[in-house]
Amino acid sequence: MNIAIILAAGKSRRMRGIDKIQTQIMGKPVWEYSFSTFQKNKNCGKIFLVTGKKFQSPQKINFIRGGKTRFNSAKIAFQKILKTEKLKDSDIIIFHN
C-alpha cells in the first residue's frame, strides 16, 4: 500500500501567513486539491493530512497533528505511520508539501 502525507501544519511563512487549511481557490480549500489528486490515484492506498489543528471536513481524512517546523511535522507523520500501518518493503510513502 502506498501512502501520501500532505504537510499543512506550518505557519505559512512561504505563503506570507495565508492559512493553507482555510484559504480557498475557486471554491475549494487549497489542501483539497492535493488530497483529491491522491484520492483519485489507484496506487495511493491511504492519505494523511498533517495539520496544526483539526477542522471539520466532509471528506474522511486521516489527521496527524504536526510539529513546529516542516521537518518536525514530516518526522511525526513518518513515525506515526511506521507504528500504525503494516508496511511492506515494496510500499512507498510520499510527502507532499
Side-chain angles (χ1 to χ4, degrees):
M1 169 177 56
N2 296 324
I3 296 172
I5 300 169
I6 301 170
L7 299 173
K11 300 207 182 326
S12 300
R13 284 189 200 113
R14 291 178 295 157
M15 291 183 65
R16 297 186 178 135
I18 297 170
D19 186 346
K20 294 174 278 196
I21 297 299
Q22 300 301 329
T23 300
Q24 294 198 4
I25 296 175
M26 294 175 38
K28 240 167 102 170
V30 173
W31 65 269
E32 208 169 293
Y33 287 94
S34 301
F35 185 85
S36 63
T37 299
F38 285 120
Q39 199 172 38
K40 291 174 192 170
N41 187 320
K42 63 180 172 63
N43 296 313
C44 188
K46 210 166 204 181
I47 307 164
F48 289 87
L49 182 62
V50 183
T51 63
K53 60 188 177 232
K54 278 194 175 185
F55 59 94
Q56 295 296 321
S57 172
Q59 309 244 18
K60 184 180 178 208
I61 298 174
N62 299 297
F63 284 103
I64 296 177
R65 176 91 174 179
K68 290 188 177 202
T69 66
R70 184 177 31 216
F71 175 81
N72 292 125
S73 293
K75 182 178 176 184
I76 290 165
F78 190 67
Q79 289 173 334
K80 177 167 180 145
I81 287 167
L82 288 178
K83 285 181 187 176
T84 61
E85 302 300 316
K86 294 181 179 174
L87 300 175
K88 297 180 281 190
D89 288 343
S90 61
D91 291 338
I92 297 171
I93 298 174
I94 302 161
F95 283 89
H96 178 62
N97 196 352

